Protein backbone atom coordinates (compact mmCIF):
# COMPACT_ATOMS: atom_id res chain seq x y z
CA UNK A 1 0.00 0.00 0.00
CA UNK A 2 1.39 3.40 -0.89
CA UNK A 3 1.27 6.34 1.48
CA UNK A 4 -1.43 8.27 -0.37
CA UNK A 5 -4.01 5.48 0.07
CA UNK A 6 -3.12 5.03 3.74
CA UNK A 7 -3.34 8.80 4.31
CA UNK A 8 -6.69 8.95 2.49
CA UNK A 9 -8.12 6.15 4.62
CA UNK A 10 -6.82 7.62 7.87
CA UNK A 11 -8.04 11.14 7.04
CA UNK A 12 -11.48 9.79 6.06
CA UNK A 13 -11.58 7.84 9.34
CA UNK A 14 -10.48 10.94 11.23
CA UNK A 15 -13.17 13.03 9.54
CA UNK A 16 -15.82 10.48 10.38
CA UNK A 17 -14.55 10.25 13.96
CA UNK A 18 -14.61 14.03 14.30
CA UNK A 19 -18.17 14.20 12.93
CA UNK A 20 -19.20 11.46 15.34
CA UNK A 21 -17.60 13.32 18.26
CA UNK A 22 -19.29 16.55 17.20
CA UNK A 23 -22.68 14.80 17.09
CA UNK A 24 -22.08 13.26 20.54
CA UNK A 25 -20.93 16.63 21.91
CA UNK A 26 -24.01 18.30 20.43
CA UNK A 27 -26.31 15.70 21.98
CA UNK A 28 -24.59 16.07 25.36
CA UNK A 29 -24.88 19.87 25.16
CA UNK A 30 -28.55 19.55 24.28
CA UNK A 31 -29.17 17.15 27.19
CA UNK A 32 -27.24 19.41 29.58
CA UNK A 33 -29.14 22.52 28.51
CA UNK A 34 -32.47 20.69 28.88
CA UNK A 35 -31.49 19.46 32.36
CA UNK A 36 -30.31 22.95 33.37
CA UNK A 37 -33.55 24.44 32.03
CA UNK A 38 -35.61 21.96 34.05
CA UNK A 39 -33.54 22.65 37.17
CA UNK A 40 -34.02 26.39 36.68
CA UNK A 41 -37.79 25.90 36.27
CA UNK A 42 -37.79 23.78 39.44
CA UNK A 43 -35.91 26.53 41.33
CA UNK A 44 -38.41 29.11 40.11
CA UNK A 45 -41.35 26.95 41.19
CA UNK A 46 -39.74 26.36 44.59
CA UNK A 47 -39.14 30.09 45.00
CA UNK A 48 -42.76 30.85 44.04
CA UNK A 49 -44.12 28.28 46.48
CA UNK A 50 -41.85 29.63 49.22
CA UNK A 51 -42.96 33.19 48.44
CA UNK A 52 -46.65 32.23 48.50
CA UNK A 53 -46.23 30.33 51.78
CA UNK A 54 -44.41 33.28 53.34
CA UNK A 55 -47.03 35.83 52.28
CA UNK A 56 -50.07 33.70 53.08
CA UNK A 57 -49.65 32.40 56.63
CA UNK A 58 -52.40 29.93 57.40
Amino acid sequence: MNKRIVWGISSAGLGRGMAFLMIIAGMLLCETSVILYKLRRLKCVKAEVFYVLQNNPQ
Side-chain angles (χ1 to χ4, degrees), residues 13 28 31 36 39 48:
L28 282 175
E31 286 286 315
L36 284 175
L39 280 175
E48 277 176 28

Side-chain angles (χ1 to χ4, degrees), residues 31-47:
E31 286 286 315
T32 309
S33 61
V34 166
I35 289 165
L36 284 175
Y37 175 71
K38 283 183 178 172
L39 280 175
R40 204 174 297 137
R41 289 265 324 261
L42 203 67
K43 268 188 200 165
C44 285
V45 168
K46 270 187 186 172

Side-chain angles (χ1 to χ4, degrees), residues 1-5 7 10-12 14-15 19 25-26 31-32 34-35 49 53-54 56-58:
M1 277 175 98
N2 63 6
K3 282 184 179 168
R4 195 178 296 153
I5 291 171
W7 190 81
S10 65
S11 68
L14 193 69
E31 286 286 315
T32 309
V34 166
I35 289 165
V49 169
L53 287 175
Q54 265 194 329
N56 299 330
Q58 288 174 349

